[in-house]
Amino acid sequence: MGDLGRSSFSFIIRPNQSLSWRGLVLFYVGIVAFSMTIALAFYATGLWMVLPFSGLEMLALGAALYVCAWRGEMREVISIDEQRVAVEKGRRRPAERHEFQRGWVQVVLQGSRTSWYPTRLLIRSHGREVEVGAFLNEQERRGLARALAKALKPN
């Protein structure tokens, strides 16, 4: 959270991504090298069916790691100034933008019907709403809801 002025705030929300792209590639190359070494050893002993299944497994792992890295670049920026609240979502640049009048904005932490499902943090005004922080854990989402409500209070 950054304070832009007396009554202006900016929240930048992004998923936790503990491994950089370079680290992810190094991890993947290491796993592929290890797995293929074992698969080639089985191939050399005549168990040739291990090699294509190991290759498919490494392709699936690579696809899953790529999707995780792609989702890890998501950003949500919530800007609050004296007149409006803007929510921008996207990866490298805003892909969608929602704007609300500050005086009418409600921050709603909507619980689910089942206890095991996470809450949804909504910014709502005049029948429109946008969900923010969907990738946060429950504690972080509740903290963001409190911080947003505090930032929206009039001076």
Side-chain angles (χ1 to χ4, degrees), residues 15-37:
N16 183 19
Q17 189 174 19
S18 58
L19 199 58
S20 68
W21 177 254
R22 180 180 166 89
L24 192 70
V25 169
L26 290 174
F27 170 76
Y28 181 65
V29 168
I31 291 290
V32 167
F34 182 73
S35 178
M36 286 297 135
T37 301

Side-chain angles (χ1 to χ4, degrees), residues 9-124:
F9 296 90
S10 180
F11 296 85
I12 300 172
I13 310 161
R14 60 185 180 93
N16 183 19
Q17 189 174 19
S18 58
L19 199 58
S20 68
W21 177 254
R22 180 180 166 89
L24 192 70
V25 169
L26 290 174
F27 170 76
Y28 181 65
V29 168
I31 291 290
V32 167
F34 182 73
S35 178
M36 286 297 135
T37 301
I38 293 172
L40 287 172
F42 278 110
Y43 178 78
T45 62
L47 299 171
W48 63 272
M49 283 299 290
V50 173
L51 192 59
F53 283 106
S54 183
L56 287 174
E57 186 179 44
M58 291 301 104
L59 282 175
L61 176 64
L65 290 174
Y66 179 78
V67 169
C68 287
W70 186 82
R71 287 185 176 174
E73 292 181 0
M74 291 297 296
R75 302 286 183 271
E76 294 177 354
V77 178
I78 304 169
S79 304
I80 302 171
D81 63 21
E82 293 181 11
Q83 300 295 320
R84 62 178 179 79
V85 175
V87 178
E88 296 176 332
K89 293 182 173 187
R91 289 183 57 223
R92 295 196 172 112
R93 59 182 167 199
E96 60 181 271
R97 179 179 171 84
H98 306 271
E99 202 167 301
F100 306 96
Q101 291 179 348
R102 180 178 176 164
W104 295 99
V105 167
Q106 294 177 322
V107 176
V108 178
L109 195 60
Q110 189 177 54
S112 103
R113 294 181 184 164
T114 58
S115 61
W116 53 269
Y117 202 75
T119 59
R120 295 176 64 210
L121 179 56
L122 304 170
I123 294 179
R124 179 183 290 172

